[in-house]
């Protein structure tokens, strides 16, 4: 999981411009326009911290807990490019739909 924390860490300091996914546990729209500020790993769980950075109000923050379970995965920039192997997998193997999709400024 430390590898996944490193992958997520490349987006630290970036603002979220769009959210998506099929999670029913949290309303992802509250994360829009927030800044991704911290990532921590404890066991099979990864905690992502998001903060508002408006100058007129004191910053507020939200921690999002992601539990990887037995076969959890983290995908980075996978929706941007589709390779032939991905197309093959999509045709013959049902890839699970992502629970959480975060689009950061600068298109990542």
């Amino acid at each position: 999981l430390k590898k996944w924390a490193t992958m997520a860490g490349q987006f630290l300091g970036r603002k979220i411009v769009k959210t998506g996914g099929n999670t029913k546990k949290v309303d992802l729209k509250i994360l829009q326009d927030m800044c991704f500020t911290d990532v921590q790993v404890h066991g099979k769980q990864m905690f992502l911290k998001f903060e508002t950075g408006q100058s007129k109000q004191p910053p507020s923050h939200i921690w999002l807990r992601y539990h990887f379970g037995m076969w959890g995965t983290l995908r980075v920039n996978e929706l941007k490019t589709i390779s032939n192997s991905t197309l093959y997998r999509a045709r013959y193997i049902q890839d699970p739909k992502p629970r959480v999709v975060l689009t950061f400024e600068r298109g990542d």
Side-chain angles (χ1 to χ4, degrees):
L1 284 179
K2 292 191 186 271
K3 176 181 96 174
W4 290 336
T6 304
M7 289 170 62
Q10 66 182 311
F11 301 103
L12 287 173
R14 293 198 192 173
K15 183 178 170 184
I16 297 172
V17 294
K18 185 178 173 187
T19 60
N22 66 358
T23 185
K24 305 255 189 291
K25 301 282 183 182
V26 65
D27 182 13
L28 294 173
K29 292 178 186 172
I30 63 172
L31 296 177
Q32 284 184 340
D33 297 324
M34 294 187 92
C35 190
F36 177 42
T37 59
D38 193 11
V39 59
Q40 296 182 11
V41 174
H42 299 281
K44 287 184 175 182
Q45 301 179 89
M46 184 166 64
F47 295 88
L48 308 172
K49 183 179 181 184
F50 302 92
E51 292 184 357
T52 58
Q54 298 173 357
S55 59
K56 295 181 181 179
Q57 299 176 354
S60 64
H61 64 273
I62 295 173
W63 284 93
L64 180 68
R65 179 183 71 96
Y66 188 86
H67 190 280
F68 286 95
M70 293 295 287
W71 296 285
T73 59
L74 175 70
R75 300 174 187 182
V76 174
N77 291 336
E78 193 169 300
L79 298 176
K80 250 169 89 168
T81 60
I82 298 177
S83 66
N84 286 336
S85 63
T86 304
L87 288 174
Y88 175 82
R89 243 188 8 244
R91 266 188 234 131
Y92 298 106
I93 300 171
Q94 285 291 355
D95 273 344
K97 291 191 171 39
R99 295 275 183 219
V100 176
V101 177
L102 302 175
T103 304
F104 294 91
E105 59 187 0
R106 292 189 261 163
D108 296 324

